[in-house]
Amino acid sequence: MMNGHYNRHRRLRVSGNMRAMVRETHLHPEDFIYPIFVLEGQNKKYPVASMPGVYQVSLDYLNEEIQEAVDLGIKSVIVFGVPAEKDEVGSQAYCDTGIVQRALSQLKEAFPDTVLIADTCLCQYTDHGHCGIVKEGKVLNDPTLQLLAATAVSQAKAGADIIAPSNMMDGFVAAIRSALDEAGFEDVPVMSYAVKYSSAYYGPFRDAAHSSPQFGDRKTYQMDPANRLEALREAESDTAEGADFLIIKPALAYLDIIRDVKNQHNLPLVAYNVSGEYSMIKAAAENGWIDERAIVLEMLTGMKRAGADLIITYFAKDAARWLKDNE
């Protein structure tokens, strides 16, 4: 075949600098949202057995954990609470002296420029482990909205810059937006877990947050992993109700959903690189089966290429460190 009768795509791959010139997708530390689990008490830093490198920390360890993230160029953190007490209505979620509220207040004072995101849900705080009020074995939608709204307002008062409701109740964005506005928090955005699947990838998180349901499952409110069009309907509803960000959770097995939602909505899109995705890579790396650094950066790049503007990931610190090493 004569030269010129076919395309020579390899011309743009001949050297590292050439490949860098034409690289289409770039990761930056500010793309990452770092998750942190905060415990009641003092002098506590407990490793999560199923998530190597992830810890539950008490408030006296919290600042040093976040300082490390800030020093690496990470601009935002999402705070999950592990309360000492639980009850049937999750009252510690919306208590003004709850663990998340105290963590937010402490972090806002120590790191005023860091974007503080509050996970807004009830499952860690209820004794039954479900994301709402339960009656006769059924999770009630509308009564739960009142508690979620109260939680959001309490978190905003404590210093949350963004409210991130993760419960998947119908109408939760509208209820929270209305409550925030009425309380004078019109400028606090809502980062909605708009598309949250009932996924097997959440297992390790439930160890970290102590949030496993005590009966049944969450399939009546989290989405069927087989469904694609339903994701578009969920995202459309949350956008109409006033969401400022949309989260897709999980990420790795749902890259098509990330792209679909990105194609239809102009809001900032967040991929949640969940605990199971994290732990699988950690386990394989510890066995020497994969190159952890290369795999993680490739995976996160894939999520961003699929359409994610931001990524919640337990790899945030490691990934930011590796990106700095590559500079």
Side-chain angles (χ1 to χ4, degrees), residues 55 58 253 272 319:
Y55 297 87
S58 51
Y272 197 141

Side-chain angles (χ1 to χ4, degrees), residues 255-323:
L255 296 176
D256 59 322
I257 306 301
I258 293 173
R259 173 47 57 191
D260 284 339
V261 173
K262 185 65 174 179
N263 286 345
Q264 292 208 7
H265 296 276
N266 294 323
L267 295 177
L269 192 62
V270 185
Y272 197 141
N273 177 210
V274 300
S275 58
E277 298 166 354
Y278 173 87
S279 296
M280 289 190 303
I281 289 176
K282 281 292 186 182
E286 288 182 359
N287 277 287
W289 297 337
I290 59 172
D291 180 335
E292 181 181 355
R293 171 174 171 160
I295 288 283
V296 169
L297 292 179
E298 182 177 342
M299 175 184 65
L300 297 175
T301 299
M303 293 172 188
K304 195 169 181 190
R305 189 187 64 243
D309 300 290
L310 298 163
I311 304 170
I312 302 171
T313 178
Y314 305 97
F315 287 114
K317 287 182 178 179
D318 286 338
R321 194 174 292 113
W322 293 329
L323 291 173

Side-chain angles (χ1 to χ4, degrees), residues 192-204:
S192 170
Y193 286 69
V195 180
K196 183 177 180 181
Y197 285 91
S198 180
S199 171
Y201 283 97
Y202 301 151

Side-chain angles (χ1 to χ4, degrees), residues 25-235:
T25 305
H26 298 269
L27 284 175
H28 306 284
E30 57 264 33
D31 297 335
F32 306 138
I33 299 170
Y34 178 59
I36 187 79
F37 298 95
V38 187
L39 278 170
E40 300 276 8
Q42 290 187 322
N43 197 33
K44 294 179 180 178
K45 186 174 181 178
Y46 298 155
V48 179
S50 55
M51 299 178 69
V54 174
Y55 297 87
Q56 302 166 324
V57 299
S58 51
L59 292 175
D60 48 323
Y61 280 109
L62 181 59
N63 285 17
E64 67 181 68
E65 287 290 319
I66 302 308
Q67 185 65 61
E68 184 180 21
V70 169
D71 291 344
L72 288 166
I74 296 168
K75 306 294 186 184
S76 55
V77 300
I78 184 166
V79 181
F80 297 92
V82 184
E85 299 177 5
K86 304 186 179 194
D87 57 35
E88 63 181 1
V89 294
S91 59
Q92 284 298 305
Y94 43 90
C95 175
D96 287 344
T97 57
I99 184 60
V100 165
Q101 286 79 358
R102 282 182 284 141
L104 290 168
S105 179
Q106 176 178 315
L107 290 176
K108 180 51 65 179
E109 182 176 354
F111 305 98
D113 295 328
T114 296
V115 177
L116 303 180
I117 305 169
D119 179 76
T120 306
C121 198
L122 301 176
C123 59
Q124 299 104 292
Y125 306 93
T126 56
D127 53 15
H128 46 72
H130 280 283
C131 303
I133 294 175
V134 172
K135 185 175 182 179
E136 297 176 356
K138 181 179 180 181
V139 180
L140 303 182
N141 194 92
D142 293 6
T144 296
L145 297 180
Q146 300 173 29
L147 301 186
L148 293 170
T151 301
V153 171
S154 177
Q155 292 170 337
K157 287 180 180 177
D161 297 298
I162 299 174
I163 298 299
S166 58
N167 54 91
M168 288 296 286
M169 295 295 110
D170 291 334
F172 69 94
V173 173
I176 287 171
R177 181 72 273 159
S178 177
L180 289 172
D181 291 351
E182 289 178 10
F185 295 107
E186 299 93 343
D187 293 334
V188 173
V190 174
M191 180 182 284
S192 170
Y193 286 69
V195 180
K196 183 177 180 181
Y197 285 91
S198 180
S199 171
Y201 283 97
Y202 301 151
F205 174 90
R206 291 173 182 169
D207 289 342
H210 298 170
S211 63
S212 296
Q214 298 303 301
F215 67 89
D217 53 42
R218 296 178 177 149
K219 293 181 180 179
T220 66
Y221 45 103
Q222 295 179 359
M223 288 173 47
D224 185 339
N227 290 357
R228 171 177 168 265
L229 297 179
E230 183 181 7
L232 302 179
R233 296 195 297 272
E234 288 279 3

